[in-house]
Amino acid sequence: FPVTIQTPITNTIGALNTTTYIRAQLSWGNCPNAFSTITTLTVYNFSIAGSVSSNQTICSGALPDTLFLNGYVGNYISWAYSDNGINWYPISNSNSPVLLPSQMGSLNNNRYYRVYVGNGPCGQQITNSILITVNLPPTVGTANASQWLCIGTTQSNLSLIAIVTGK
């Protein structure tokens, strides 16, 4: 009758720099060697956050320009936004090093953006944050009443009551 022996065998391979494939070889008396299935030890580089392209200033209601993630190392990317630079919220379907204006939408208030970058089991890193400053559109006052002039005559002084708002 067959005998099953389940004894764990532990072996330390040491530090690896590249993906390695291993299997066990068992020698038992005069029998032919037996081999285990192959196991893969996948080696990842450490995650590097990289950096997000620069700050922008736009007018209220406009779309920001495309944002780019540069110099990163990782296989996991997730963009996030914040209205105050403290509380961060993920942007759905933002797993590319490029964040498109359509993913950010038109903005009416200042907004911060940053990226979370991970690489396998090596932990997550966070980029710098950039600020999209949103300026309110200016409001201009009204000019004084229309004038009626004959050809070759000089108009009276024109005035503009200026009310400039915005930031």
Side-chain angles (χ1 to χ4, degrees):
F1 63 95
V3 175
T4 302
I5 303 172
Q6 293 184 341
T7 303
I9 300 171
T10 305
N11 189 3
T12 303
I13 294 174
L16 297 175
N17 294 317
T18 61
T19 296
T20 302
Y21 304 93
I22 61 168
R23 69 178 181 176
Q25 175 182 340
L26 178 63
S27 300
W28 189 265
N30 294 345
C31 297
N33 290 339
F35 296 94
S36 70
T37 57
I38 296 175
T39 298
T40 303
L41 302 175
T42 304
V43 177
Y44 291 87
N45 287 320
F46 289 107
S47 303
I48 298 174
S51 62
V52 177
S53 52
S54 60
N55 297 334
Q56 298 177 28
T57 300
I58 62 171
C59 193
S60 180
L63 290 171
D65 289 334
T66 301
L67 296 178
F68 297 94
L69 172 61
N70 299 303
Y72 72 96
V73 173
N75 59 7
Y76 169 81
I77 295 171
S78 179
W79 290 81
Y81 73 91
S82 172
D83 292 326
N84 58 16
I86 298 169
N87 302 314
W88 292 90
Y89 305 97
I91 299 172
S92 61
N93 300 317
S94 64
N95 55 357
S96 162
V98 176
L99 188 65
L100 300 173
S102 60
Q103 292 174 284
M104 294 179 271
S106 59
L107 300 179
N108 295 310
N109 295 301
N110 293 347
R111 184 160 284 173
Y112 297 86
Y113 290 91
R114 71 183 184 185
V115 184
Y116 298 88
V117 177
N119 202 30
C122 297
Q124 200 174 80
Q125 300 293 317
I126 303 171
T127 66
N128 60 303
S129 61
I130 61 102
L131 174 62
I132 310 278
T133 301
V134 177
N135 288 331
L136 297 174
T139 304
V140 179
T142 55
N144 63 347
S146 298
Q147 299 179 20
W148 300 43
L149 306 171
C150 292
I151 194 165
T153 60
T154 305
Q155 81 278 357
S156 60
N157 288 338
L158 296 175
S159 65
L160 172 67
I161 300 171
I163 303 170
V164 180
T165 60
K167 46 180 176 168

